[in-house]
Amino acid sequence: MKKSIFAFAIAALSIGTGAAQQLTQYVDPYIGTGGHGHVFLGANVPFGLVQVGPTEPARGWDWCSGYHYSDSVIIGFGSEHLSGTGIGDLGDIALLPVTCKEQTKATFSHGAERVRPGYYSLTLQNSGIHVELTATKRVAFHRYSFPADQQEGLIRLDLKQGIGWDAWRQSQVKQESATVVTGYRYSKGWADDQRVYFVAEFSRPVTLANQEGDSVAVFSFKNANEPILVKIGLSPVSVDNAKLNMQQELPGWDFNATVAAADQAWNKELCKVTIDTKDEVARRIFYTCLYHTMIAPSVFNDVNGEYWGPDKQMHKGDFTNYTTFSLWDTYRAAMPLMTLIHPEKEVDIAQTMLHIADQQGRLPVWHLMGNETDCMVGNPGIPALIDIALKGYPVDKEKVFEAAKKTAMGNDRGLDLLKKYGYIPCDLDPTHETVAKGMEYALADWSIAQLAKQLEKTADYKYFLKRSQSYRDHYFDKKTGFMRGVTSKGTFREPFSPFHAVHRQDDYTEGNAWQYTWLVPHDVHGLVSAFGGEKPFTIKLDSLFIAQGDMGDQASPDISGLIGQYAHGNEPSHHIIYMYNYVGQPYKAAKKLRYVMNTLYNDSLDGLCGNEDVGQMSAWYILSSCGLYQVEPAGGKFIFGSPIFDKATLRVRDGKTFTVVAKNNSKENMYIQSAKLNGKKYTKSYISFDDIVKGGTLEFVMGPQPSKFGTAVKDRP
């Protein structure tokens, strides 16, 4: 049923601009709207502030984006939504065309929905009102067609409405003229103090038919048997800026042209990676994944450069300020992917992080709408920012280092205990998750050490390198072979089960000891040594994928996509398979990578085995399907896996392209037999970022049996 809907949408979505064009035709926005994918469904442009789409009543965790395919009730068409998060928020500035003043919701059938990048439409049940949505970066554009026999049209503006977890605090709605309504909405949710200002302009005069305080208004107009259009400009700063954003981005009323421009914007971004394959399902999965990686980070400044900072002040910059930084997730693959294919954004992202550090005193953890949510553990902003610096982007490395060092030397979130003990004692930190915290801090500290070394800051290099080894010096239990919670007396917490997990209440974050023992992407060889060598390390790693045990009924629902105890549905596992390359067994990685790509990603509603997590789940697929993955948290050493496409071409910086060719590639021929880089024999099982962005061609010969490629010690990462 689902696939037939998508096929129909591809054939039918002309909207006056011709058939679906170029690569957008391969994007299926429904993938991940079922199961636990939590993805956004609606209309937007790449990295835009606006994600306009249907909002359903929050019925639980799977409605974090405001939409889940199992539902058939809509409470409004909100201007902003999140995609793939594990917590809900936004849904701001919502309109709903209605048949009477008292109506607050509508029902619908998925058979009446049409969606593609930059466009969404739906005919509401009972009323027959046809809704169409599109967007620019800062403007949501609605087109409503009412039935001919309905003499009066009504549109409800609900400023109290948000996504379940978002609580309205204050708002204002003001009709400035027959066609212009302005106001603002303040709310408290995941973003503790979110503020959004708006201007709504109607294509013909409306009158105020009903108002409920300063939060809800119903507008009426004469139904002239032609669509009424509404433009909603948003700003994080002021109503005047919302007007300015609309004036510059969408001064006219050509809805079809706006749809075409959104389609063109998506095609431009999707064309940054082109693939050759006969597998149309894989093609659809790939471009939907690429689409999902470009919903965020989101632009968070006005066209005049003004934005709202975490210090609750208005700032103005000569750069594009961003928000929606799901860094605990995205530092692993989504941010490294951006360094490859979005070079034009890297300096602005770095500037955003540095300004956040200035304004709140430390680098971001999980930033949303000018607010630090402090969601998840560790200092994930550090590796994400230092990765940009180490890859040669023109940022001030001294400022990057100072911001990272100041963040790492704070006293919040267990850092005071880390500085005192060299680890975070499980009996002294009341917020639990001490192993996960300590190991995330360790990989961030390693990243600081790499930049310190480059800047010839010897003392800092030694200090942070030592802290980065806390996994080995404190958490690793040689007796059991697991990372374990450690008390202030230096003893391991008892009792202990490597399988057991209690959400937010034990030593791990959304995981157990089986999964967190491998969270050493910065020092894989050090972890090998901790196990006592390659043989015991490999035996343990092999065991991860077959171990079976009860995690308990209080385990996090994020622990999903299980292969044994490997949990692909959550980010701490994402680098693990590539560790085989470090011990000279890339053929073991190849088989497991193919299994993950072929079984844990598909083109159904439940096409993701876990939360999309603002692009990370998809970024893993994008990189892995091209045969590449960055394991170390900063610096750009990309490990080879098993490319699934005959050819993939990445448009990298300075206008160059890097092409990965897989000869004799098939589902059976999953193993790399040999490689050439720009026509010369290449024996390493990894490649540097610098070699990728120089442009050129990496050519693999694939085969059905494991080979000795990449197995020699000199060829391992």
Side-chain angles (χ1 to χ4, degrees), residues 253-541:
W253 291 96
D254 193 330
F255 187 88
N256 291 344
T258 308
V259 172
D263 183 77
Q264 183 178 8
W266 278 113
N267 273 315
K268 180 181 178 181
E269 297 295 334
L270 293 171
C271 282
K272 288 181 174 180
V273 188
T274 55
I275 58 173
D276 287 357
T277 181
K278 297 181 179 66
D279 187 340
E280 292 305 312
V281 171
R283 189 193 306 275
R284 191 154 55 243
I285 294 170
F286 181 88
Y287 282 111
T288 303
C289 280
L290 193 56
Y291 164 78
H292 282 149
T293 68
M294 297 188 288
I295 293 176
S298 306
V299 168
F300 193 64
N301 65 331
D302 296 319
V303 293
N304 62 4
E306 294 178 351
Y307 66 93
W308 184 250
D311 57 356
K312 313 305 176 188
Q313 301 294 320
M314 190 273 285
H315 298 270
K316 187 171 184 177
D318 58 357
F319 65 100
T320 299
N321 188 62
Y322 287 96
T323 189
T324 320
F325 284 113
S326 180
L327 292 167
W328 182 83
D329 308 291
T330 59
Y331 82 80
R332 307 168 200 264
M335 299 298 278
L337 175 64
M338 289 193 73
T339 66
L340 287 174
I341 66 171
H342 300 299
E344 75 284 356
K345 293 179 171 56
E346 292 307 290
V347 173
D348 286 345
I349 287 174
Q351 288 295 324
T352 297
M353 291 187 178
L354 289 170
H355 282 85
I356 288 173
D358 288 341
Q359 293 156 19
Q360 69 178 25
R362 55 192 169 96
L363 288 169
V365 177
W366 210 125
H367 234 253
L368 178 61
M369 301 295 164
N371 289 255
E372 180 56 77
T373 70
D374 275 326
C375 189
M376 310 309 291
V377 297
N379 274 323
I382 290 176
L385 176 60
I386 290 179
D387 191 39
I388 295 172
L390 291 180
K391 287 175 176 174
Y393 283 98
V395 298
D396 189 327
K397 291 183 180 179
E398 288 287 346
K399 285 186 177 179
V400 169
F401 177 80
E402 291 304 321
K405 180 178 178 179
K406 182 179 180 180
T407 301
M409 295 302 290
N411 293 314
D412 59 318
R413 306 168 67 245
L415 285 168
D416 53 342
L417 296 170
L418 175 62
K419 289 186 293 182
K420 180 178 180 179
Y421 289 89
Y423 64 99
I424 305 176
C426 59
D427 55 335
L428 298 184
D429 190 333
T431 59
H432 310 289
E433 305 177 299
T434 57
V435 175
K437 284 182 185 177
M439 297 185 73
E440 291 283 357
Y441 284 142
L443 63 87
D445 290 339
W446 176 87
S447 302
I448 300 174
Q450 305 315 300
L451 184 56
K453 183 178 181 180
Q454 190 177 96
L455 296 174
E456 299 182 348
K457 299 178 184 291
T458 304
D460 288 313
Y461 169 73
K462 291 180 178 179
Y463 174 77
F464 285 107
L465 187 65
K466 174 64 175 175
R467 275 192 13 177
S468 77
Q469 295 168 346
S470 62
Y471 76 91
R472 182 193 64 196
D473 297 340
H474 299 286
Y475 298 114
F476 186 72
D477 176 12
K478 291 183 178 179
K479 184 178 180 180
T480 63
F482 290 103
M483 302 292 174
R484 297 180 57 182
V486 186
T487 71
S488 55
K489 294 180 180 180
T491 59
F492 291 113
R493 184 203 290 271
E494 298 289 353
F496 170 70
S497 165
F499 295 98
H500 196 64
V502 180
H503 189 44
R504 305 292 189 208
Q505 295 297 315
D506 61 12
D507 296 321
Y508 312 97
T509 298
E510 299 176 359
N512 61 19
W514 267 111
Q515 290 132 26
Y516 269 88
T517 292
W518 313 98
L519 190 59
V520 191
H522 60 289
D523 188 19
V524 179
H525 293 298
L527 182 61
V528 171
S529 296
F531 271 101
E534 291 183 1
K535 185 175 180 180
F537 173 88
T538 305
I539 291 172
K540 189 77 169 187
L541 185 53

